[in-house]
Amino acid sequence: RISFLYEKQSFTIHIYLAPVSDVYILHAQVQAKNGPEPEVELPPFLNVERILHDTPEDEANYGAYSLSLIKE
């Protein structure tokens, strides 16, 4: 894990090496400013491929349990 602060936001990058490889998941912890949904200001040095959502599809592909399974 790599943790850092940027613009008063807390970020953690989870790096998965086994049993899957080359998977990096960025978690952002931010405080809502003017509405129910907080806005995340991503650092310019990060290249985010896609945003994960709380959906069954993303959970099946990127949830901690799913990433820990050894697939044969």
Side-chain angles (χ1 to χ4, degrees):
R1 290 187 184 128
I2 299 169
S3 298
F4 61 94
L5 298 173
Y6 176 78
E7 296 294 329
K8 298 182 182 178
Q9 303 169 112
S10 174
F11 293 92
T12 301
I13 300 173
H14 299 270
I15 302 169
Y16 294 88
L17 302 174
V20 297
S21 62
D22 297 329
V23 173
Y24 303 82
I25 296 180
L26 174 70
H27 285 219
Q29 185 173 2
V30 300
Q31 185 175 19
K33 292 182 180 177
N34 295 326
E37 289 293 321
E39 291 184 33
V40 177
E41 185 177 340
L42 292 173
F45 54 84
L46 291 178
N47 181 14
V48 176
E49 187 173 312
R50 68 181 287 259
I51 296 174
L52 300 179
H53 298 281
D54 189 18
T55 64
E57 179 184 356
D58 280 348
E59 183 62 34
N61 291 319
Y62 300 103
Y65 173 75
S66 298
L67 290 173
S68 71
L69 296 175
I70 298 173
K71 298 175 182 171
E72 297 181 27

